[in-house]
Amino acid sequence: LYENMGLFEKAEPLYLEAKAIRAEVLGEKHPDYATSLHTLASLYQKVGSFEKAEPLCLEAKAIAAEVLREKHPDYAMSLNNLAVVYQQMGSFEKAEPLYLEAKAIR
């Protein structure tokens, strides 16, 4: 709700809390924990904090690769999310192979 209202400073602590709860309850290798990472990364992207979004996307991608494997649609989504971050950062050479790998999975 806060994110949709543009109140990012109110959304961030709630997303951080949700991430911490999922880590504690589900563990840091659970796909729902990875979803929390993506959600927080998306928030950071919206405010232009790509340096905060990138490691979250990298971690979510690693979880998806390990738990779901590299042919799973959620792994493809992780690749795509990371590619978007790199594209927004202007790192097109990093984004392109991720987009192509995600496309090959889907």
Side-chain angles (χ1 to χ4, degrees), residues 28-35 37-38 56-80 82 98 101 105:
E28 293 185 359
K29 297 295 183 187
H30 195 281
D32 288 346
Y33 175 75
T35 298
L37 296 173
H38 281 303
L56 296 170
C57 288
L58 286 167
E59 185 179 354
K61 176 181 151 301
I63 293 166
E66 181 179 336
V67 176
L68 303 173
R69 303 291 181 224
E70 295 182 356
K71 297 297 179 192
H72 194 280
D74 287 351
Y75 177 71
M77 182 189 69
S78 292
L79 293 170
N80 191 73
L82 181 58
L98 296 169
E101 186 179 352
I105 295 167

Side-chain angles (χ1 to χ4, degrees), residues 76-101:
M77 182 189 69
S78 292
L79 293 170
N80 191 73
N81 290 347
L82 181 58
V84 169
V85 171
Y86 286 141
Q87 181 180 341
Q88 291 173 322
M89 294 171 74
S91 296
F92 303 112
E93 69 285 348
K94 289 183 177 181
E96 183 182 25
L98 296 169
Y99 279 132
L100 292 173
E101 186 179 352

Side-chain angles (χ1 to χ4, degrees), residues 2-58:
Y2 288 135
E3 183 178 349
N4 290 335
M5 295 171 62
L7 301 172
F8 303 117
E9 68 285 348
K10 287 189 174 187
E12 182 185 22
L14 298 174
Y15 287 170
L16 289 167
E17 182 180 2
K19 181 176 82 81
I21 290 169
R22 283 184 168 173
E24 183 180 330
V25 174
L26 302 172
E28 293 185 359
K29 297 295 183 187
H30 195 281
D32 288 346
Y33 175 75
T35 298
S36 287
L37 296 173
H38 281 303
T39 302
L40 186 57
S42 176
L43 177 75
Y44 289 143
Q45 285 173 261
K46 287 180 181 175
V47 298
S49 294
F50 306 118
E51 70 286 347
K52 288 183 175 182
E54 180 188 13
L56 296 170
C57 288
L58 286 167

